[in-house]
């Protein structure tokens, strides 16, 4: 897959668990060195980095703990990526927040906080790493939007608005940089196993499954499979797309 005659680097945000972890492992299996990012839990990220090293001994890993709910945290991740690897060939923006609030009670601070994590962080990270992709004439920006990017959600106006923004950002990047070998796509996962491990959420899990025609939750590995395709040379003609992977929950 490496057509660049050099080691390729993937930066994966939220890589300590669930979809982010599966994406980090999948990209490592494809030959990428991986920057494993987490918001606060160093031990989870360390576990992922250790697993990558065990399964793929020739891969390099780096851990970065940074709170992407602030520009300072974003800058911290950018600096680690550049210092450790010289940039990124693939950027996977997995981190997101999904708080609930009655629309008329959402404060400006709450609105801004959601936008910082869900939209501004992908903007800042993409902007920082895309220059290197331009120079190398190859790169992949893979953003996540969730089903909040397909429909408005009750009590999640700030989340839905920010995720629709991610779609717009991705499409703009896709058009602006495609001729320089850089593609951008956004993935909208449906209900995924592993995100509802709390036994108290059993009713919620059953409600989610009832919405899916396939009769089950998806897996993080299934989402990572799509990420792997988009990050591959075979996925080079897929650009500027919102890709839903939800078992038919939204068609």
């Amino acid at each position: 897959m490496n057509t660049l005659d050099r080691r390729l680097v993937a930066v994966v945000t939220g890589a300590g668990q669930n979809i982010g972890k599966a994406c980090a492992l999948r990209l490592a299996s494809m030959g990428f060195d991986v920057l494993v990012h987490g918001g606060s839990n160093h031990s989870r990220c360390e576990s992922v980095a250790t697993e990558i090293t065990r399964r793929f001994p020739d891969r390099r890993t780096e851990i970065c703990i940074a709170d992407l709910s602030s520009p300072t945290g974003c800058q911290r991740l950018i600096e680690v990526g550049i210092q450790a690897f010289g940039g990124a060939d693939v950027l996977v923006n997995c981190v997101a927040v999904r708080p609930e609030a009655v629309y008329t009670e959402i404060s400006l601070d709450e609105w801004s906080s959601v936008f910082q994590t869900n939209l501004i962080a992908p903007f800042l990270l993409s902007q920082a790493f895309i220059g290197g992709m331009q120079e190398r004439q190859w790169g992949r920006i893979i953003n996540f939007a969730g089903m909040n990017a397909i429909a408005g959600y009750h009590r999640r106006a700030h989340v839905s608005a920010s995720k629709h923004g991610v779609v717009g950002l991705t499409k703009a990047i896709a058009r602006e940089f495609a001729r320089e070998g850089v593609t951008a796509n956004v993935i909208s996962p449906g209900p995924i196993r592993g995100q509802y491990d709390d036994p108290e959420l059993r009713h919620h899990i059953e409600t989610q499954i009832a919405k899916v025609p396939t009769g089950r939750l998806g897996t993080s590995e299934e989402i990572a499979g799509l990420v792997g395709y988009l990050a591959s040379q075979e996925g080079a003609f897929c650009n500027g797309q919102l890709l839903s992977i939800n078992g038919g929950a939204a068609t």
Side-chain angles (χ1 to χ4, degrees), residues 2 29 32 42 116 142 161 179 232 244:
N2 189 344
S29 77
F32 288 90
H42 189 279
Q116 168 60 49
I142 303 171
R179 291 189 180 275
S232 72
S244 297

Side-chain angles (χ1 to χ4, degrees), residues 47-232:
S47 176
V48 174
T50 298
E51 185 173 352
I52 289 173
T53 302
R54 177 180 60 80
R55 293 173 57 181
F56 314 106
D58 59 337
R59 305 293 183 267
R60 288 180 57 208
T61 62
E62 187 75 24
I63 296 171
C64 177
I65 302 300
D67 182 2
L68 302 187
S69 68
S70 73
T72 301
C74 294
Q75 186 59 38
R76 163 68 179 160
L77 177 56
I78 291 164
E79 290 174 355
V80 171
I82 292 174
Q83 291 171 4
F85 295 114
D89 300 288
V90 173
L91 171 63
V92 183
N93 287 304
C94 282
V95 168
V97 292
R98 296 180 293 275
E100 292 190 4
V102 175
Y103 176 67
T104 54
E105 296 177 3
I106 298 173
S107 69
L108 181 56
D109 285 344
E110 290 169 330
W111 183 273
S112 299
S113 177
V114 169
F115 267 69
Q116 168 60 49
T117 301
N118 292 357
L119 180 56
I120 297 176
F123 157 68
L124 292 174
L125 298 179
S126 299
Q127 189 180 60
F129 289 124
I130 209 163
M133 296 178 186
Q134 287 178 277
E135 292 176 6
R136 296 184 289 272
Q137 292 288 290
W138 197 95
R140 302 286 187 264
I141 305 292
I142 303 171
N143 293 322
F144 276 80
M147 295 181 70
N148 292 280
I150 298 174
Y153 266 60
H154 179 62
R155 295 171 61 94
R156 284 185 176 173
H158 40 2
V159 178
S160 289
S162 65
K163 288 303 186 177
H164 277 72
V166 169
V167 175
L169 171 67
T170 304
K171 291 186 175 186
I173 292 172
R175 283 196 174 270
E176 188 166 346
F177 297 96
R179 291 189 180 275
E180 296 169 277
V182 181
T183 66
N185 292 282
V186 56
I187 296 175
S188 172
I192 302 301
R193 187 191 313 152
Q195 296 181 344
Y196 308 110
D197 290 333
D198 187 339
E200 294 184 2
L201 295 177
R202 171 53 52 189
H203 175 70
H204 180 65
I205 294 172
E206 292 172 351
T207 300
Q208 293 296 312
I209 292 175
K211 298 176 183 178
V212 184
T214 54
R216 66 174 178 86
L217 300 179
T219 69
S220 295
E221 289 71 25
E222 288 171 320
I223 306 301
L226 179 54
V227 169
Y229 168 72
L230 294 174
S232 72

